């Protein structure tokens, strides 16, 4: 296959994609297959001789889509969304064609400069102060790891990156139990250690208690630990919890600790000014992560980390070997020094296309609809017999359950086996609960109304 063949087959792929998206509502949302079925339909050995693309394409159509869970399905209400607005798919096609490396400015100047401008656009869109700059990562997990590595180095006076961790003071990190497991992973990978991630108590509304944070830091100081930083949650993955950002930042700052805020999901909603009270005080954070690939509509992967001062993170993660030097151009930004990997995709292009093709008003209208329709779905479920709402909607996420865990789990299984809608579970205060989130880019009010219909259909076995 050469580039002339690619011209033909990309058109074919574009047609396939349009038909795929047009037909999504007729497919089951979750793959109905049994484990191993897809693997069993592939040959066990790689081909020695080239095969015609027509054959490969045909096998793709036969084997792959039926084995997929359809994240762009308008009745996908599981996990959190991983959206791909058409304009962002188009941008990704162009990026694929150029297949550039944006590790330093001169390896792809436009990739670096569009990224810088998009960080500014998003900062404006979210109402963050002008003092924030930032960078793109693949995922929130990597951004949180970067922030925690930076906290470690700030606490160690940047000695960890030189001397290693042996003989250093024992560091402590603070987060509530509602924060995402990526914070646990960051504690593990940074060498701080899971046992030194203090899970600070939450109050009745699942927000980290500033008093408990203060007490935890004081206890640790008295015991000879060295606190390194606080990770706050703005829209937890389980049930959408929000910490009291302003009060917790005040506690952290009184001890000179840096604060990273995880708003991976809920950050997108902050393009709507009326939701910003949920993260009141955000301007005091040192680092904020949000994923435009979740609710905003940018194709996966795309995570934005806003930074009050990139200096400490660049000092922690940045390296400039001689083969990456850009002679005499000290004013330029080399984004690889801000992030873990050296190689970087051109992720900013899809943000540019997304924001221009829909406008902030178009994106706000979608998010507002999702919140309203989730509230409607919550009321429709509340009216069903034997079912209770366990956590009320936070933005577009709520949870419900039947009387006992076994019945709830069986209900979820029946709903997902049918495939009309797709929901997933979490544990809340020890209880098995079903999560409902509304956020798929193309979903309509009637798609969301299918939630209550499906639950009702399967309420009794
Ligand atoms: C999804 C999510 C993450 C992890 O995001 P990735 O980009 O997949 O690493 C972290 N925190 C929260 C609150 C999330 O919702």
């Amino acid at each position: 296959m050469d580039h002339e063949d690619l011209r033909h087959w990309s058109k074919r792929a574009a047609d396939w994609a349009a038909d795929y998206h047009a037909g999504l509502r007729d497919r089951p949302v979750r793959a109905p297959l049994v484990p191993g079925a897809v693997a069993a339909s592939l040959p066990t050995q790689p081909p020695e001789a080239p095969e015609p693309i027509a054959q490969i394409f045909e096998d793709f159509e036969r084997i792959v889509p039926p084995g997929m869970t359809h994240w762009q399905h308008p009745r996908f209400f599981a996990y959190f969304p991983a959206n791909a607005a058409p304009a962002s798919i188009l941008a990704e096609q162009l990026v694929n064609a150029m297949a550039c490396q944006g590790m330093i400015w001169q390896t792809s100047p436009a990739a670096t400069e569009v990224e810088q401008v998009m960080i500014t656009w998003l900062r404006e869109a979210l109402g963050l102060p002008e003092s924030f700059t930032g960078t793109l990562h693949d995922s929130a997990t990597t951004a949180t790891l970067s922030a925690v590595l930076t906290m470690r180095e700030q606490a160690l006076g940047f000695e960890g990156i030189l001397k290693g961790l042996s003989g250093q003071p024992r560091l402590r990190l603070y987060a509530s139990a509602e924060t995402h497991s990526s914070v646990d992973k960051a504690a593990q990978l940074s060498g701080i250690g899971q046992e030194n991630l203090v899970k600070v108590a939450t109050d009745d509304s699942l927000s980290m208690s500033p008093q408990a944070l203060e007490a935890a830091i004081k206890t640790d100081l008295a015991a000879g630990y060295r606190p390194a930083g606080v990770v706050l949650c703005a829209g937890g993955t389980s049930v959408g919890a929000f910490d009291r950002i302003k009060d917790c930042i005040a506690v952290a700052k009184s001890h000179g600790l840096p604060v990273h805020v995880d708003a991976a999901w809920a950050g997108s909603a902050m393009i709507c000014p009326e939701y910003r009270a949920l993260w009141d005080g955000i301007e005091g954070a040192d680092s904020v992560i949000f994923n435009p690939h979740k609710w905003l509509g940018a194709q996966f992967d795309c995570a934005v980390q806003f930074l009050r001062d990139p200096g400490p993170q660049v000092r922690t993660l940045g390296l400039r070997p001689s083969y990456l030097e850009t002679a005499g151009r000290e004013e330029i930004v080399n984004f690889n020094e801000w992030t873990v990997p050296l190689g970087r995709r051109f992720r900013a292009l899809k943000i540019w296309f997304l924001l221009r093709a829909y406008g902030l008003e178009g994106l706000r209208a979608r998010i507002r609809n999702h919140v309203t329709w989730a509230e409607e779905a919550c009321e429709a479920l509340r009216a069903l017999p034997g079912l209770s709402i366990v956590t009320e909607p936070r933005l577009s996420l709520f949870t419900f359950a039947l009387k006992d865990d076994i019945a709830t789990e069986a209900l979820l299984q029946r709903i997902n086996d049918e495939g009309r809608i797709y929901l997933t579970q979490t544990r809340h205060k020890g209880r098995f609960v079903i999560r409902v989130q509304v956020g798929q880019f193309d979903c309509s009010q009637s798609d969301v109304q299918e939630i209550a219909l499906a639950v009702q259909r399967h309420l009794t076995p």
Side-chain angles (χ1 to χ4, degrees):
M1 182 173 182
D2 60 18
H3 285 284
E4 265 317 304
D5 297 327
L6 180 60
R7 179 193 298 281
H8 168 76
W9 285 101
S10 338
K11 285 176 187 154
R12 182 70 211 287
D15 284 340
W16 180 88
D19 293 341
Y20 169 75
H21 284 102
L24 271 177
R25 281 193 176 84
D26 302 326
R27 291 181 186 262
V29 190
R30 194 190 65 173
L33 289 180
V34 284
V38 174
S41 57
L42 303 180
T44 53
Q45 299 293 321
E48 289 291 342
E51 298 185 66
I53 283 294
Q55 184 61 52
I56 303 171
F57 202 99
E58 206 179 298
D59 288 346
F60 161 77
E61 288 189 279
R62 183 171 55 83
I63 297 170
V64 176
M68 295 299 284
T69 292
H70 302 289
W71 283 73
Q72 307 316 318
H73 197 300
R75 295 191 302 271
F76 182 100
F77 306 113
Y79 306 101
F80 278 138
N83 276 315
S88 84
I89 296 179
L90 179 61
E92 283 286 72
Q93 288 175 353
L94 301 174
V95 168
N96 283 344
M98 293 184 286
C100 66
Q101 277 291 348
M103 50 203 175
I104 59 178
W105 175 84
Q106 72 179 17
T107 61
S108 294
T112 296
E113 294 183 18
V114 175
E115 181 164 334
Q116 288 176 301
V117 176
M118 288 309 107
I119 295 288
T120 312
W121 281 17
L122 288 171
R123 180 188 74 201
E124 293 292 313
L126 269 59
L128 292 170
E130 270 180 33
S131 48
F132 279 102
T133 167
T135 189
L136 296 180
H137 295 261
D138 54 354
S139 66
T141 301
T142 321
T144 293
L145 174 62
S146 305
V148 168
L149 289 169
T150 305
M151 287 174 177
R152 183 192 78 188
E153 287 309 306
Q154 285 174 292
L156 298 179
F158 298 90
E159 285 202 348
I161 49 174
L162 297 175
K163 299 181 179 165
L165 302 183
S166 116
Q168 297 287 359
R170 282 186 74 186
L171 303 182
R172 297 287 247 192
L173 272 182
Y174 306 86
S176 92
E178 294 296 320
T179 41
H180 188 264
S181 58
S182 54
V183 182
D184 300 75
K185 188 176 269 191
Q188 293 176 10
L189 298 185
S190 63
I192 292 176
Q194 182 76 57
E195 287 175 9
N196 293 314
L197 169 57
V198 181
K199 297 283 171 86
V200 181
T202 50
D203 60 20
D204 291 345
S205 57
L206 303 173
S207 312
M208 180 192 283
S209 150
Q211 292 78 16
L213 176 61
E214 173 75 34
I217 295 172
K218 282 202 170 130
T219 307
D220 282 348
L221 285 169
Y225 290 106
R226 186 177 293 183
V230 181
V231 180
L232 298 176
C233 165
T237 310
S238 185
V239 298
F242 279 84
D243 288 332
R244 279 151 58 191
I245 306 288
K246 188 176 227 151
D247 296 342
C248 292
I249 288 182
V251 171
K253 292 294 143 183
S254 74
H255 292 279
L257 297 181
V259 176
H260 171 67
V261 178
D262 179 1
W265 161 65
S268 295
M270 301 309 171
I271 62 172
C272 307
E274 69 269 31
Y275 303 134
R276 290 182 194 156
L278 287 168
W279 74 356
D280 183 36
I282 192 70
E283 63 281 357
D286 298 285
S287 166
V288 181
I289 169 68
F290 103 96
N291 281 352
H293 74 233
K294 277 189 171 156
W295 206 354
L296 201 64
Q299 175 151 357
F300 185 83
D301 50 8
C302 188
V304 177
Q305 184 189 17
F306 294 106
L307 288 160
R308 166 196 299 287
D309 171 13
Q313 187 158 313
V314 171
R315 191 166 166 194
T316 303
L317 303 179
L319 273 182
R320 205 174 284 187
S322 51
Y323 46 82
L324 291 178
E325 271 167 12
T326 17
R329 306 295 294 269
E330 286 315 310
E331 78 286 4
I332 52 150
V333 165
N334 292 323
F335 270 129
N336 82 82
E337 297 173 4
W338 300 45
T339 56
V340 175
L342 171 60
R344 311 182 89 244
R345 301 183 61 240
F346 187 175
R347 295 190 181 87
L349 196 72
K350 58 194 165 194
I351 300 179
W352 194 44
F353 274 48
L354 177 81
L355 295 179
R356 294 184 62 191
Y358 307 97
L360 286 174
E361 265 315 317
L363 298 173
R364 284 188 200 108
R366 279 183 164 79
I367 284 173
R368 286 174 178 140
N369 278 339
H370 296 161
V371 172
T372 307
W373 298 338
E375 285 164 355
E376 289 169 6
C378 180
E379 292 320 307
L381 290 186
R382 205 192 299 276
L384 295 178
L387 182 156
S388 57
I389 301 301
V390 179
T391 58
E392 296 293 327
R394 284 187 168 85
L395 296 170
S396 63
L397 170 66
F398 65 94
T399 62
F400 70 94
L402 300 182
K403 283 205 178 57
D404 63 78
D405 284 2
I406 293 170
T408 310
E409 202 169 341
L411 170 64
L412 181 64
Q413 177 116 32
R414 291 195 294 277
I415 291 170
N416 289 336
D417 283 349
E418 182 195 34
R420 182 83 186 155
I421 64 169
Y422 184 25
L423 303 176
T424 46
Q425 78 289 335
T426 187
R427 283 221 169 253
H428 181 65
K429 298 189 173 164
R431 205 169 161 197
F432 184 101
V433 299
I434 301 177
R435 290 170 81 259
V436 178
Q437 71 75 25
V438 178
Q440 206 285 322
F441 201 76
D442 296 319
C443 78
S444 66
Q445 190 172 22
S446 66
D447 288 317
V448 180
Q449 287 166 345
E450 294 266 351
I451 298 170
L453 297 177
V455 174
Q456 190 166 25
R457 249 192 330 273
H458 295 288
L459 209 45
T460 46

